[in-house]
Amino acid sequence: MTLYLPRTDTAQVAEALSAERLSIGGGAMNMVLTLVVVTDEADHYDAVRAATEAGREHPSRIIALIRRDPGAEPAIDAEIRRPGTSGPGEALLLRLYGPLGEHADSVITPLLVPDAPVVAWWPGPGPRDPSADPVGRLAHRRITDALRAGDPLEDLLARVRAYRPGDTDLTWTRLTPWRSMLASAMDHPPGWVTGAEVTAEPHYPSAELLAAWLSRQLDVPVRRSASNGPGITAVRLTSDAGDITLHRMDGRVATLSRPGQPDQVVALARRRAAEALSEELRRLDPDEMYERTAAHLAGLVEGGTLGAEEARR
């Protein structure tokens, strides 16, 4: 069931929420966090769907802030989706008109789940400094996605320079299966690794982050090469005993090749937004590995070791 409240205000939304919970005989006690999704009309359907899917693992109050005509009179159009309609949690869609879009923090503050963490997610282009954003200042974790920017690598690097504990980006989260597979392959390396290469489609900043992670973990030079994709297509580790390669061309399965061993086919599907978001919601503490890797990436780019021009070829 969905309750529509056109041209409403925060007090009316809070009152309607309370009435909805009383009507089903429960409260917000099962909500583990508030997930604030900052989006626009074009992207809100996919964003709310991904948040709802992630909410099946992390019951949340999802508040979707949909900014509308900034030149209009201040107004709020609200939709309240009760538990069961949008998974085990609640979903609020707030369309903000006029200057309210610039003061979304004051709109959502009375609607946050009491004594529960707040996570902010920008599924589209996000702020350069999420911690300074009005919504970001309310959040324990701030999740962005540089892949949606016009210049993904520059967008990611700008955000890295403004990093504050609690920031993260889905370009990093998408790497978890690659990092796990490569770490497993290196448990018993056939020889001393002397270099590496990451191959991916242009304008795909996850590849730069993976290259920075390998460079930092292995202390070797890493080359960034371009392919037709999709996403990351190959990683090659050069060792004195031969190459270790993880090759994926279809975005679903990969072939792991190691010297002296038969090739192994492994599942390595590209991650959907809901899967990446769900992983990020499992932790509310700062991601120190992302912080270190992102800082290392910035150093590599600024030092010319991993140039932006090579990444865009």
Side-chain angles (χ1 to χ4, degrees):
M1 174 181 172
T2 301
L3 176 65
Y4 297 94
L5 299 173
R7 293 305 188 261
T8 186
D9 57 37
T10 302
Q12 292 178 347
V13 174
E15 184 178 348
L17 266 176
S18 179
E20 281 293 296
R21 289 197 300 272
L22 287 173
S23 71
I24 61 175
M29 299 301 293
N30 63 326
M31 308 294 173
V32 298
L33 57 88
T34 302
L35 174 60
V36 182
V37 184
V38 185
T39 184
D40 56 25
E41 197 66 57
D43 290 340
H44 89 274
Y45 178 81
D46 289 337
V48 172
R49 183 174 61 179
T52 300
E53 187 174 334
R56 294 193 176 97
E57 182 178 339
H58 314 276
S60 313
R61 176 175 293 168
I62 300 167
I63 303 177
L65 297 175
I66 305 168
R67 290 169 174 165
R68 298 295 298 265
D69 183 4
E73 290 294 318
I76 302 173
D77 287 342
E79 297 178 33
I80 300 175
R81 301 177 182 177
R82 69 193 310 179
T85 304
S86 301
E90 301 169 330
L92 285 70
L93 277 63
L94 304 179
R95 289 176 170 83
L96 307 183
Y97 295 85
L100 283 178
E102 301 302 318
H103 303 281
D105 53 332
S106 62
V107 174
I108 66 171
T109 297
L111 304 175
L112 304 176
V113 176
D115 302 318
V118 178
V119 178
W121 176 39
W122 291 266
R128 288 293 182 99
D129 185 354
S131 66
D133 181 87
V135 174
R137 285 196 292 266
L138 298 175
H140 298 77
R141 292 293 309 278
R142 296 166 293 274
I143 305 171
T144 51
D145 192 352
L147 189 60
R148 298 291 304 278
D151 187 335
L153 181 56
E154 179 54 37
D155 185 70
L156 176 65
L157 289 172
R159 210 167 281 129
V160 166
R161 297 182 187 108
Y163 176 86
R164 294 293 182 275
D167 292 354
T168 195
D169 198 277
L170 293 188
T171 56
W172 169 252
T173 321
R174 293 186 183 99
L175 291 177
T176 299
W178 282 92
R179 293 192 298 119
S180 298
M181 196 67 64
L182 290 167
S184 177
M186 290 299 296
D187 278 346
H188 303 285
W192 189 264
V193 176
T194 58
E197 180 177 17
V198 176
T199 305
E201 63 183 83
H203 310 290
Y204 195 73
S206 292
E208 277 74 28
L209 275 173
L210 183 57
W213 178 74
L214 288 169
S215 170
R216 185 179 182 279
Q217 295 299 106
L218 300 175
D219 193 24
V220 297
V222 182
R223 176 181 173 83
R224 164 66 159 100
S225 300
S227 70
N228 293 328
I232 299 172
T233 52
V235 174
R236 185 180 77 242
L237 305 178
T238 302
S239 79
D240 51 16
D243 289 351
I244 303 169
T245 62
L246 187 58
H247 195 259
R248 182 188 71 178
M249 294 304 295
D250 61 1
R252 295 189 298 272
V253 296
T255 301
L256 176 63
S257 302
R258 289 171 287 187
Q261 299 187 37
D263 288 354
Q264 181 181 359
V265 177
V266 294
L268 195 60
R270 300 188 73 188
R271 306 189 82 183
R272 298 178 298 112
E275 295 170 323
L277 179 62
S278 185
E279 177 184 326
E280 286 300 334
L281 296 182
R282 289 181 198 131
R283 61 178 304 160
L284 296 172
D285 58 318
D287 188 339
E288 294 180 354
M289 183 57 72
Y290 168 70
E291 177 185 2
R292 295 167 184 164
T293 301
H296 189 65
L297 170 62
L300 291 175
V301 172
E302 290 167 4
T305 308
L306 185 67
E309 298 214 350
E310 181 180 1
R312 292 189 177 92
R313 278 190 327 208

